[in-house]
Amino acid sequence: WGRQCIRGSFTEIVLPESLDSLNQKAFSDCSKLTEITLNKGLKYIGESAFENCTSLYGITLNDGLNTIGKKAFYGCGQLSEITLNEGLEMIDEKAFCGCEQLETVTLPASLDFIGNEAFYNSVRDVYPKRPAAPCIDWYTFNRSVVVHVENIAQYKAYHQDEKWKDYEYATTQDKVTYEWVGETSVKV
């Protein structure tokens, strides 16, 4: 589906199974769109595909999707819920930038790269499933984000990475919550 192919007053989209990619600006500026269910065959969401869909609040990403393009959901200010699928490998720059209602995101273990400002001015809590830190840019997240790691080994892997080290960390391990500031863990 090509550039700015669809505009209208619809509120929900369910994509056909045969579709494997959404090209640039396919649904951009669809201000009444509230929900999207992406089909299992979709592998790629192109640049600005859903940019400025200001009423969009929920997205279901199905298995098979491996790339979310630049600014794909940029400016979707009401987006409060997204489930990133296992198998997703790349989230390009500014993909979810300006999604102010999106407070948490769980990053799948398959995710290798998250671009510059991908979640800037959006998430407050990040839950990575990957044991080793995926590649990020300096401003992928706001500096006030809390990274919720699953255990101390994951904390060490992320904290040793130059671009992940300055975030605040928290974990619940053995039913005790710890927060880290620099190299010090504090029992909460």
Side-chain angles (χ1 to χ4, degrees):
W1 287 16
R3 176 177 265 189
Q4 295 179 335
C5 68
I6 296 178
R7 294 268 163 89
S9 60
F10 49 87
T11 60
E12 186 177 335
I13 295 173
V14 178
L15 298 175
E17 291 299 318
S18 60
L19 187 66
D20 67 354
S21 66
L22 280 176
N23 291 335
Q24 187 176 32
K25 297 189 176 192
F27 296 96
S28 66
D29 299 310
C30 289
S31 62
K32 295 183 181 184
L33 180 62
T34 59
E35 278 187 89
I36 305 166
T37 300
L38 301 177
N39 64 311
K40 291 183 182 183
L42 192 68
K43 295 181 182 345
Y44 173 78
I45 298 174
E47 181 176 342
S48 302
F50 296 97
E51 182 176 358
N52 293 322
C53 290
T54 54
S55 298
L56 182 63
Y57 67 83
I59 306 167
T60 302
L61 302 179
N62 290 318
D63 293 342
L65 183 69
N66 58 34
T67 303
I68 298 175
K70 185 188 309 184
K71 296 174 78 175
F73 297 95
Y74 182 91
C76 295
Q78 296 304 307
L79 184 62
S80 61
E81 201 175 303
I82 184 165
T83 303
L84 298 176
N85 60 296
E86 198 56 54
L88 182 64
E89 297 172 0
M90 178 181 165
I91 299 173
D92 209 340
E93 66 183 70
K94 297 183 181 182
F96 296 96
C97 184
C99 297
E100 294 96 4
Q101 300 300 312
L102 186 62
E103 294 186 8
T104 65
V105 66
T106 299
L107 304 175
S110 58
L111 193 59
D112 293 325
F113 176 79
I114 309 169
N116 190 40
E117 296 183 8
F119 290 98
Y120 206 75
N121 291 332
S122 61
V123 299
R124 293 164 191 77
D125 295 288
V126 176
Y127 294 85
K129 296 298 179 189
R130 184 181 173 121
C135 182
I136 64 171
D137 281 312
W138 288 108
Y139 299 105
T140 295
F141 306 101
N142 290 8
R143 286 290 156 201
S144 59
V145 77
V146 177
V147 180
H148 297 266
V149 292
E150 296 177 350
N151 53 50
I152 293 171
Q154 188 184 28
Y155 163 73
K156 287 180 179 179
Y158 279 68
H159 194 262
Q160 289 173 355
D161 185 284
E162 183 68 25
K163 293 180 181 172
W164 282 91
K165 72 178 186 177
D166 292 330
Y167 292 112
E168 183 179 338
Y169 287 84
T171 190
T172 301
Q173 185 175 6
D174 300 325
K175 299 183 181 174
V176 177
T177 299
Y178 294 88
E179 289 187 6
W180 282 277
V181 178
E183 293 294 321
T184 307
S185 68
V186 179
K187 190 174 178 179
V188 180

